[in-house]
């Protein structure tokens, strides 16, 4: 049968991939910097929004799913930044080996 993969035309969003790098200062205090490690094309599969109340403050809570080529190394806990859009934390990476891509399940970071 014909092999179904990702269609390049659907990869219309640019994502900057950032990985956490933990550094320590001379006092031994640790901090995390987000190092840019890749720029990838992605297909947005799903975008859902809701409101949540925390400590009496309401803010929007967005989750989205992106499909990216399986060759890109992205891990849970990393961040992706939608060019011209928002910053997200990668909550989980779901491989689809048969079709050659990974689905990134992400939550928007409210900074």
């Amino acid at each position: 049968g014909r092999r179904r993969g990702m269609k390049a035309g659907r990869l219309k969003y640019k994502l900057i991939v950032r990985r956490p790098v933990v550094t320590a200062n001379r006092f031994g205090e640790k901090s995390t910097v987000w190092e840019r490690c890749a720029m990838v094309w992605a297909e947005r599969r799903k975008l859902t929004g809701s409101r949540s109340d925390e400590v009496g403050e309401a803010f929007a809570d967005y989750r989205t799913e992106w499909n990216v080529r399986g060759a890109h190394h992205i891990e849970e806990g990393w961040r992706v930044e939608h060019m011209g859009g928002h910053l997200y934390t990668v909550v989980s990476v779901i491989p689809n080996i048969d079709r050659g891509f990974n689905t990134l399940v992400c939550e928007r970071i409210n900074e």
Side-chain angles (χ1 to χ4, degrees):
R2 196 169 71 93
R3 213 181 124 166
R4 282 183 29 197
M6 288 182 71
K7 289 189 172 67
R10 291 190 183 149
L11 301 175
K12 61 183 181 180
Y13 296 97
K14 278 185 184 177
L15 299 180
I16 295 171
V17 181
R18 298 182 187 277
R19 67 175 173 215
V21 177
V22 177
T23 60
N25 66 16
R26 58 194 179 122
F27 302 109
E29 298 166 331
K30 292 188 170 137
S31 66
T32 302
V33 293
W34 295 92
E35 179 181 272
R36 179 179 175 156
C37 57
M39 199 285 299
V40 302
W41 288 97
E43 169 193 9
R44 183 159 62 197
R45 282 199 44 211
K46 192 158 58 167
L47 177 64
T48 56
S50 62
R51 279 173 62 93
S52 61
D53 288 307
E54 286 186 22
V55 203
E57 199 176 333
F59 67 91
D61 184 29
Y62 293 99
R63 289 179 72 94
T64 188
E65 294 180 8
W66 304 96
N67 284 341
V68 298
R69 294 192 193 286
H72 299 305
H73 179 77
I74 301 172
E75 297 181 19
E76 293 172 5
W78 287 21
R79 290 181 173 180
V80 292
E81 181 182 346
H82 173 209
M83 294 283 290
H86 300 288
L87 187 62
Y88 298 91
T89 295
V90 178
V91 178
S92 60
V93 179
I94 304 165
N96 186 330
I97 296 161
D98 293 342
R99 292 188 56 206
F101 67 85
N102 292 329
T103 299
L104 309 177
V105 179
C106 300
E107 288 181 349
R108 188 167 126 196
I109 298 171
N110 292 294
E111 285 190 316

